[in-house]
Amino acid sequence: MSSSTPARAFDTTWFIRASKALLTFTVGGFALFVVFGNVTDYWTNFEFVSHVFAMDAQKPALHAVSNINYRAIEWTWFHHVAYVGVILTEATIMVACLVSAWRQARALRAPDAAYREAKKWGVAGCTVGLFLWFFGFQAVAGEWFGMWMNETWNGIPDAVRLCTYIGGVLVYLTLSNDRLTSEATGKTIPA
């Protein structure tokens, strides 16, 4: 059989591909809920962003000894710009992962090259998710703006949870365990 042989319904390769599509969908679905919440409950979530940038809710014992408060940004306009940037980034994750999940689902029985192509937006969406929730939340907000010292407005535990899940999906999505043919021999891989 050649590399153009379609996957048989319900063989191992089909289930691996289906699970990758489903997990990509979960990342996009989560981002959909986050975007919806941030847009429909803008002011509650804006408060979070404002307190992180203003660095005004640190635990009293830490606030008294902290030397990083010079980093605070108290401009409300900046808080809005940053928050809208977060929402647009989350929307990018949502669209990329949902489009990829749809394309993967449609390519469950497709040749290897077509299925591999269907995964590209999922890889992009998960990468953007890790960028946002690791670099944006853990590095910039967590370390530069001292969010970890914040008594009420600390998003680091949630960011860690998201990065762990999305990182796992990204690794699984990029594994070459969903091929119908061996690249070395060009022969069909048994299911």
Side-chain angles (χ1 to χ4, degrees), residues 20-68:
K20 289 182 179 188
L22 182 63
L23 293 178
T24 304
F25 172 79
T26 65
V27 175
F30 175 79
L32 170 70
F33 296 149
V34 171
V35 169
F36 181 79
N38 284 341
V39 170
T40 61
D41 195 14
Y42 183 91
W43 294 105
T44 299
N45 296 300
F46 176 75
E47 282 295 308
F48 177 92
V49 171
S50 288
H51 286 294
V52 169
F53 281 124
M55 300 173 71
D56 61 1
Q58 294 172 343
K59 296 174 185 174
L62 292 172
H63 184 73
V65 297
S66 173
N67 291 322
I68 67 167

Side-chain angles (χ1 to χ4, degrees), residues 134-152:
F134 179 77
F135 185 73
F137 278 67
Q138 293 181 59
V140 175
E143 291 302 319
W144 185 255
F145 290 102
M147 183 169 63
W148 67 271
M149 293 189 281
N150 203 313
E151 197 159 45
T152 306

Side-chain angles (χ1 to χ4, degrees), residues 55-188:
M55 300 173 71
D56 61 1
Q58 294 172 343
K59 296 174 185 174
L62 292 172
H63 184 73
V65 297
S66 173
N67 291 322
I68 67 167
N69 293 328
Y70 70 91
R71 300 174 186 170
I73 298 175
E74 296 179 353
W75 307 316
T76 303
W77 68 266
F78 180 86
H79 301 172
H80 283 287
V81 169
Y83 184 40
V84 168
V86 167
I87 294 170
L88 291 175
T89 304
E90 292 163 344
T92 300
I93 298 162
M94 172 191 75
V95 170
C97 288
L98 292 177
V99 165
S100 181
W102 171 252
R103 289 181 177 177
Q104 288 175 65
R106 292 187 56 186
L108 291 178
R109 298 180 63 203
D112 293 338
Y115 183 74
R116 183 176 172 86
E117 184 69 13
K119 297 189 302 182
K120 76 178 176 185
W121 290 109
V123 171
C126 288
T127 301
V128 172
L130 290 174
F131 176 81
L132 175 65
W133 286 301
F134 179 77
F135 185 73
F137 278 67
Q138 293 181 59
V140 175
E143 291 302 319
W144 185 255
F145 290 102
M147 183 169 63
W148 67 271
M149 293 189 281
N150 203 313
E151 197 159 45
T152 306
W153 310 97
N154 183 359
I156 290 181
D158 292 325
V160 169
R161 172 180 52 88
L162 291 171
C163 287
T164 301
Y165 182 76
I166 293 170
V169 172
L170 181 59
V171 168
Y172 182 49
L173 190 59
T174 59
L175 287 177
S176 295
N177 62 351
D178 54 22
R179 284 191 248 138
L180 300 173
T181 58
S182 167
E183 289 179 3
T185 65
K187 295 183 180 180
T188 301

